[in-house]
Amino acid sequence: MERTSSVNADLPHSPDSGHSRWAPWRNWIGFWVLGLCNNFGYVVMLSAAHDILKTQESGNGTASTSATLTVAVHGNSSNSSSYDCNPVSTAAVLLADILPTLVIKLLAPFFIHKVPYGFRVLLCVALALASFVLVSLSSAVWLSIFGVIFASASAGLGELSFLSLSVFFSRDVLEGWGSGTGGAGVAGALVYAGLIQAGISARVTLLIMLVIPVAMMISYFFLLVPPPSLPQWKRDETGYTALGSEETRRIIDGSDEEEQENTAEVRSTGPLTCAERLHIIKGLLRFVFPLGLVYFAEYFINQGLMELLFFRNFYLSHAEQYRWYQTLYQVGVLISRSSLRCVKIKKLWILALLQVANAVFLLFAVRYQFLPNVWIVFVIILYEGLLGGAAYVNTFYSISKETEDRHREFAMAAASVGDSLGIALAGAVSFPVHRYFCSL
């Protein structure tokens, strides 16, 4: 039995170091790029949600409809509501963006282990390419939503796959992954908003994004230094062949070496049974529930309230305000998801309570319109992103630390459903809230 192929070991001699001294850095950067590329399309679709609906709404009502997505820089003149509402909430785009991800995350952990990682990555790349092409060329809302579904499927499969993949590397790659996903938010929102602000059409902007799935493929196949135990193109059905960090540490200490080697041998072989998987899921609830609550509150804000927080006497139009809300939120996410090396938070429920308080405050702000200017909203949205990013990265770091080695690959994939479940519920709740405010 090899002792050098430990999963998530916080040791100087990690599985990476057997390949080259640069392997740990290559793997950290590789996971950063994977996180960036995996979430990039998802962020762009949400940033474009207001434009998708506004443009195609006006396109369906006029004879001179453009077949491309363009930016609406004016309010909806047919809308008598003081909130300048779209007839369809941006929550429609959110649901199309999250429901396929949710379905994948609910079902895939029970069978995706049979599919080698190389094939999963190729499928993610193909889906992402298809999503950008479909949305950029669409002339109807339904076709745009269909493209968004492809982006969602790519992001969902990618997230659970790359989180599972992280157990084959040093635990440091989780920091790279978290920072990369946060970077995707900032890059996606900034690039989209910046290009649109510069006068480039949304169609061309989305076609430019085709470089992102290509970068994902290059990062996975050429930047990462995979350990020999990684099932790249063929899955080893005999189970795990690597010792975990705890066993490795005790063996290095030289205590009860033979006994611990025998114990690790028994625990690290054979696939997980259904009963074991259900037992693992039960133990994950203490992580999944706070994470889901955090994401429910923040996406209720993002897709249910943000487009209603419109300040008329400001130099930015409604669509522009919405895009910069999304951008500031993603800046907060980037900062907190990159902070794992400096700050680790164990009491995840505190983050959940603070995010719920945020949502309640902004709900009252929308209803009674007591906020004097948009700058206060900018600060609150930045704070919201900080809470959300911290909840995400600390949740998966805690799972990687506290889960038994043999269970860790499945646990990381299964726990990824928490944020998606919260986001899906937020999208569903946002519909009646949107209808209520737009009727005022």
Side-chain angles (χ1 to χ4, degrees):
M1 179 171 55
E2 291 187 12
R3 298 179 183 175
T4 59
S5 56
S6 61
V7 282
N8 278 164
D10 291 329
L11 299 169
H13 300 288
S14 66
D16 319 303
S17 58
H19 297 273
S20 77
R21 61 175 180 167
W22 299 109
W25 283 106
R26 286 180 58 183
N27 289 330
W28 194 98
I29 295 171
F31 270 87
W32 189 91
V33 175
L34 290 173
L36 176 76
C37 297
N38 189 72
N39 284 28
F40 198 91
Y42 173 84
V43 172
V44 167
M45 296 305 174
L46 291 186
S47 296
H50 190 280
D51 295 337
I52 290 171
L53 295 173
K54 178 74 75 175
T55 301
Q56 293 171 357
E57 165 213 339
S58 61
N60 289 335
T62 62
S64 58
T65 300
S66 170
T68 64
L69 289 172
T70 57
V71 181
V73 293
H74 52 80
N76 183 0
S77 60
S78 63
N79 177 23
S80 60
S81 170
S82 62
Y83 293 100
D84 188 34
C85 297
N86 281 311
V88 182
S89 168
T90 53
V93 177
L94 173 65
L95 286 175
D97 216 1
I98 199 60
L99 287 180
T101 291
L102 178 61
V103 171
I104 289 173
K105 289 183 177 180
L106 283 171
L107 301 179
F110 293 94
F111 64 83
I112 197 66
H113 61 280
K114 298 179 182 294
V115 182
Y117 284 96
F119 293 114
R120 298 193 214 178
V121 173
L122 291 178
L123 180 57
C124 289
V125 169
L127 289 170
L129 289 170
S131 71
F132 284 123
V133 171
L134 276 175
V135 176
S136 67
L137 300 180
S138 68
S139 58
V141 172
W142 70 267
L143 193 56
S144 292
I145 297 299
F146 195 63
V148 169
I149 289 172
F150 275 82
S152 175
S154 174
L157 177 61
E159 183 176 15
L160 70 88
S161 295
F162 294 130
L163 283 171
S164 297
L165 178 70
S166 70
V167 308
F168 292 93
F169 299 84
S170 168
R171 192 174 284 115
D172 291 340
V173 301
L174 280 175
E175 183 187 19
W177 166 263
S179 179
T181 55
V186 175
L190 271 179
V191 168
Y192 181 81
L195 291 175
I196 294 298
Q197 202 82 17
I200 299 175
S201 71
R203 175 181 180 179
V204 173
T205 297
L206 290 173
L207 289 176
I208 292 173
M209 305 299 179
L210 291 174
V211 301
I212 300 301
V214 176
M216 173 190 284
M217 185 168 59
I218 292 173
S219 176
Y220 179 80
F221 289 108
F222 299 103
L223 187 55
L224 290 182
V225 182
S229 57
L230 178 67
Q232 180 75 279
W233 300 111
K234 183 178 180 181
R235 188 77 195 195
D236 182 6
E237 293 296 336
T238 61
Y240 299 86
T241 59
L243 290 174
S245 58
E246 292 298 324
E247 285 81 4
T248 305
R249 190 174 289 109
R250 290 195 296 264
I251 288 173
I252 289 177
D253 291 339
S255 59
D256 299 326
E257 181 173 348
E258 182 176 353
E259 178 183 348
Q260 295 190 38
E261 184 171 334
N262 291 337
T263 301
E265 181 75 40
V266 173
R267 290 173 57 197
S268 62
T269 58
L272 295 173
T273 64
C274 184
E276 285 179 310
R277 293 176 189 274
L278 293 176
H279 178 72
I280 295 169
I281 291 174
K282 183 179 179 181
L284 290 174
L285 293 179
R286 64 192 177 97
F287 300 106
V288 171
F289 181 75
L291 181 64
L293 187 57
V294 167
Y295 272 79
F296 167 78
E298 72 183 76
Y299 274 83
F300 174 69
I301 295 171
N302 291 1
Q303 306 304 127
L305 301 179
M306 269 190 190
E307 68 171 326
L308 302 175
L309 290 165
F310 171 45
F311 293 82
R312 295 182 182 276
N313 298 320
F314 194 64
Y315 69 91
L316 293 177
S317 70
H318 191 179
E320 290 166 347
Q321 287 179 41
Y322 178 84
R323 285 196 295 271
W324 290 109
Y325 286 155
Q326 293 286 352
T327 301
L328 284 170
Y329 161 74
Q330 297 296 349
V331 168
V333 171
L334 171 61
I335 294 172
S336 56
R337 288 196 182 189
S338 303
S339 66
L340 187 60
R341 191 178 297 269
C342 303
V343 180
K344 295 179 177 65
I345 302 172
K346 292 184 178 181
K347 296 181 179 179
L348 302 172
W349 58 270
I350 294 178
L351 300 174
L353 292 179
L354 291 173
Q355 197 71 290
V356 169
N358 245 358
V360 172
F361 176 80
L362 288 177
L363 178 63
F364 279 95
V366 169
R367 176 63 182 87
Y368 297 105
Q369 302 185 27
F370 56 79
L371 293 178
N373 57 65
V374 73
W375 298 106
I376 296 176
V377 180
F378 284 163
V379 173
I380 295 173
I381 296 300
L382 178 66
Y383 169 63
E384 174 209 349
L386 290 171
L387 292 177
Y392 180 91
V393 73
N394 282 280
T395 293
F396 288 103
Y397 181 81
S398 297
I399 292 172
S400 72
K401 289 282 287 186
E402 300 181 26
T403 307
E404 183 180 320
D405 302 307
R406 182 167 172 263
H407 300 165
R408 191 171 296 130
E409 185 180 5
F410 172 78
M412 295 291 277
S416 67
V417 75
D419 58 344
S420 299
L421 186 59
I423 295 171
L425 290 175
V429 172
S430 294
F431 273 115
V433 172
H434 179 271
R435 285 200 303 268
Y436 169 74
F437 284 114
C438 289
S439 67
L440 297 178

